[in-house]
Amino acid sequence: MTREKKFIRVAIAEAKKGMERNDGGPFGCIIVQGDTIVGRGNNRVTSSNDPTAHAEVVAIRDACNNLSTFQLSDCELYTSCEPCPMCLGAIYWARPKKVYYACTKQDAADADFDDSFIYREVTLPLHERKIPMEQLCAEDGRAVFEAWKQKQDKTAY
């Protein structure tokens, strides 16, 4: 068995364990650095009352905490299912070098985890989205960005 298949099976096992504990949906993820698992996560949406507690986000937080970093550029991410739009965004922010997944988003949809509406929403103009979005106090917000640009002791990312 290849190392990749070994690690994807660990991610799938995380999904199964979390589901059996009733932590949330049947999703699991691990983060690997070299040949070491440095982060683990399973879906904890319902048990933590946190809609962002998807397996990938939980695993990214765990790995970053364990490695004392906010970037995972020397790591690989193994997840039991193709990442949803939110997790995909988190993955891009964490910057792992590669992502491996087992099931597809269609497999998830077939199990009643359909996020196709989100994929459609993000392509729509703001005024056509289901959740209304209104801009307020743009000048005040930009002032903070201006202060950030001038800040001498910032950590860029």
Side-chain angles (χ1 to χ4, degrees), residues 3-157:
R3 84 183 263 293
E4 290 82 9
K5 285 185 179 178
K6 178 183 91 168
F7 285 131
I8 199 71
R9 287 186 172 136
V10 174
I12 293 167
E14 290 291 323
K16 187 173 188 244
K17 285 189 296 189
M19 179 191 67
E20 289 171 346
R21 285 192 307 257
N22 290 319
D23 288 346
F27 302 94
C29 182
I30 61 168
I31 311 289
V32 176
Q33 183 182 56
D35 286 324
T36 304
I37 297 172
V38 295
R40 294 176 183 266
N42 61 277
N43 184 289
R44 297 180 186 165
V45 169
T46 57
S47 62
S48 66
N49 294 318
D50 179 355
T52 69
H54 289 201
E56 295 90 340
V57 172
V58 172
I60 288 168
R61 290 174 180 164
D62 187 44
C64 287
N65 183 58
N66 292 335
L67 297 173
S68 299
T69 186
F70 55 86
Q71 303 257 296
L72 301 172
S73 55
D74 60 344
C75 297
E76 299 165 328
L77 186 145
Y78 292 81
T79 182
S80 64
C81 189
E82 182 179 359
C84 76
M86 178 187 69
C87 292
L88 188 59
I91 288 165
Y92 272 93
W93 279 112
R95 296 179 174 91
K97 59 184 178 181
K98 189 161 186 179
V99 173
Y100 297 91
Y101 64 93
C103 298
T104 67
K105 61 185 176 185
Q106 185 57 55
D107 295 324
D110 292 344
D112 295 326
F113 294 96
D114 188 0
D115 52 16
S116 61
F117 79 98
I118 299 172
Y119 284 102
R120 286 191 302 273
E121 283 287 299
V122 297
T123 64
L124 294 174
L126 292 177
H127 68 277
E128 292 181 23
R129 293 184 182 169
K130 300 269 188 264
I131 298 175
M133 298 190 182
E134 180 179 345
Q135 185 177 22
L136 299 172
C137 301
E139 290 302 318
D140 296 342
R142 280 193 283 277
V144 179
F145 281 136
E146 287 303 317
W148 171 258
K149 291 193 299 193
Q150 302 306 315
K151 187 172 173 48
Q152 297 298 311
D153 62 343
K154 65 186 171 197
T155 301
Y157 59 98

